[in-house]
Amino acid sequence: MAWRNHSTITEFILTGLSNNPHIEALLFVFFLGIYLLTVTGNLMMLLVIRTDARLHTPMYFFLSNLSFLDLCFSSVTEPKLLKDLLSEKKTISVEGCLTQVFFVFITAGTEAFLLSVMAYDRYAAICHPLLYGQVMSSQLCVKLVFISWCLASFNSVVILLLALNLDFCEAQTIHHYTCELPSLFPLSCSDISINIDILICSILLHGLGTFLPIFFSYARIVSTILSISSTSGRTKAFSTCSSHLIAVTLFFGSGLIRYLMPTSGSSLDMLSSLQYSAVTPLLNPLIYSLKNQEVKAAVRRTLGKILHYVR
């Protein structure tokens, strides 16, 4: 890759999660379990929603896309993490690093937009139940998912251009377990002030552009729920939103901490990255299945069919 000016670095060294072989062995088993459970859980959600006609609704269409994104998101970083936990030297090529930066942003960015779209879906279902079928048509659902991918792709290209504009001279150790743009800035020997400003503006625009629709949707939802006279009606209405609220809190909380706080190479940086790239994709299928009676019933039906075919 042709780097601007005098960059001569061909690979980066990752510090990883630990340099103790015994701890790395335990971490490998732990994160291998997390990754396998993540893949199994999200594939199960995709299979259940695809095969069960009762779940062919806008909410579950968006949920299936969320499961697909969680599969992609976890696969961007976790396989490399597992490989490094078994390696004495943890390196990644410049091209591989930039590729990882790009796909982290495109998958995380699309998930942020999708969570925003899912909040609007809940708003339409609770605040305008009689018009829900007309408002959330299948064509609109597909368009919203497509727009989410397009906007996230555009943002990812901007981020990638920021990374391509960096000069690297001697420092090549990334104090992290994966390649993320904030961790590359301290390694640059060029002026990064403009890059940091653009990154912060990009994250704020992306974050506010996705979080504000969630906030206003739930403001209307809460207002509508409080106006429901029966306790059972309020409980039922809120239960349809609780899973989404938990997913939003987990994803946005850790993501904003990682990209808006100054990079220090501390444990907090790694924990926030692990939260949104490994833990959240694992928890999402559990959150939506354990708190949703329709999904639990569909899972039982699907497992019953699978066992029937096996026999």
Side-chain angles (χ1 to χ4, degrees):
M1 175 173 289
W3 285 91
R4 184 172 67 86
N5 294 343
H6 52 276
S7 293
T8 58
I9 300 296
T10 59
E11 66 177 15
F12 295 112
I13 299 171
L14 300 167
T15 57
L17 297 177
S18 174
N19 55 10
N20 186 315
H22 300 293
I23 295 178
E24 285 185 321
L26 292 174
L27 289 173
F28 174 81
V29 174
F30 178 69
F31 283 106
L32 178 62
I34 285 181
Y35 185 59
L36 292 176
L37 287 172
T38 300
V39 171
T40 302
N42 284 290
L43 283 177
M44 176 60 74
M45 289 295 290
L46 286 169
L47 176 64
V48 167
I49 294 171
R50 173 67 178 172
T51 58
D52 198 306
R54 295 177 182 85
L55 302 184
H56 291 176
T57 63
M59 182 176 79
Y60 294 108
F61 171 73
F62 294 133
L63 183 54
S64 66
N65 279 275
L66 181 66
S67 293
F68 175 73
L69 276 169
D70 282 336
L71 271 175
C72 296
F73 196 9
S74 60
S75 297
V76 171
T77 57
E78 288 190 59
K80 172 62 176 168
L81 170 62
L82 292 170
K83 175 181 175 294
D84 286 343
L85 287 171
L86 296 178
S87 304
E88 184 176 345
K89 189 178 182 182
K90 305 168 181 62
T91 61
I92 185 170
S93 67
V94 170
E95 292 82 359
C97 187
L98 291 179
T99 301
Q100 200 170 58
V101 167
F102 177 79
F103 281 105
V104 163
F105 269 93
I106 194 171
T107 50
T110 306
E111 185 157 337
F113 280 115
L114 189 61
L115 288 171
S116 182
V117 168
M118 292 172 75
Y120 176 74
D121 172 72
R122 292 299 81 211
Y123 158 76
I126 293 173
C127 299
H128 304 285
L130 299 179
L131 299 174
Y132 180 67
Q134 293 176 286
V135 173
M136 300 304 295
S137 64
S138 57
Q139 293 89 347
L140 177 62
C141 292
V142 172
K143 287 179 182 177
L144 288 172
V145 172
F146 178 73
I147 291 171
S148 297
W149 276 100
C150 289
L151 291 174
S153 299
F154 174 77
N155 187 61
S156 301
V157 170
V158 172
I159 298 301
L160 183 61
L161 291 175
L162 288 181
L164 286 171
N165 199 43
L166 296 174
D167 291 326
F168 300 99
C169 304
E170 296 180 1
Q172 61 180 131
T173 300
I174 297 176
H175 296 281
H176 210 278
Y177 71 91
T178 188
C179 277
E180 293 185 345
L181 191 57
S183 299
L184 293 180
F185 284 150
L187 306 184
S188 177
C189 54
S190 55
D191 182 13
I192 61 171
S193 57
I194 296 178
N195 301 67
I196 292 177
D197 290 341
I198 294 174
L199 176 64
I200 292 175
C201 289
S202 174
I203 296 300
L204 286 175
L205 285 173
H206 196 125
L208 291 175
T210 52
F211 183 75
L212 287 179
I214 295 173
F215 176 81
F216 288 118
S217 293
Y218 273 102
R220 293 294 303 275
I221 288 171
V222 170
S223 176
T224 301
I225 290 176
L226 292 177
S227 67
I228 299 174
S229 56
S230 66
T231 304
S232 60
R234 287 197 297 268
T235 303
K236 183 178 179 181
F238 181 75
S239 66
T240 64
C241 304
S242 57
S243 299
H244 180 257
L245 273 173
I246 295 171
V248 166
T249 303
L250 289 172
F251 182 81
F252 278 90
S254 55
L256 291 177
I257 288 173
R258 176 68 182 106
Y259 283 92
L260 292 182
M261 295 288 286
T263 299
S264 61
S266 65
S267 299
L268 179 61
D269 288 346
M270 294 193 189
L271 285 174
S272 58
S273 294
L274 286 170
Q275 169 65 51
Y276 70 78
S277 66
V279 178
T280 299
L282 167 68
L283 293 180
N284 276 344
L286 294 175
I287 292 168
Y288 280 98
S289 59
L290 294 177
K291 295 183 69 64
N292 190 307
Q293 295 299 324
E294 288 182 324
V295 173
K296 285 195 286 188
V299 169
R300 286 194 292 268
R301 287 192 294 267
T302 302
L303 290 176
K305 291 177 183 178
I306 293 173
L307 292 174
H308 176 74
Y309 287 130
V310 170
R311 292 172 184 173

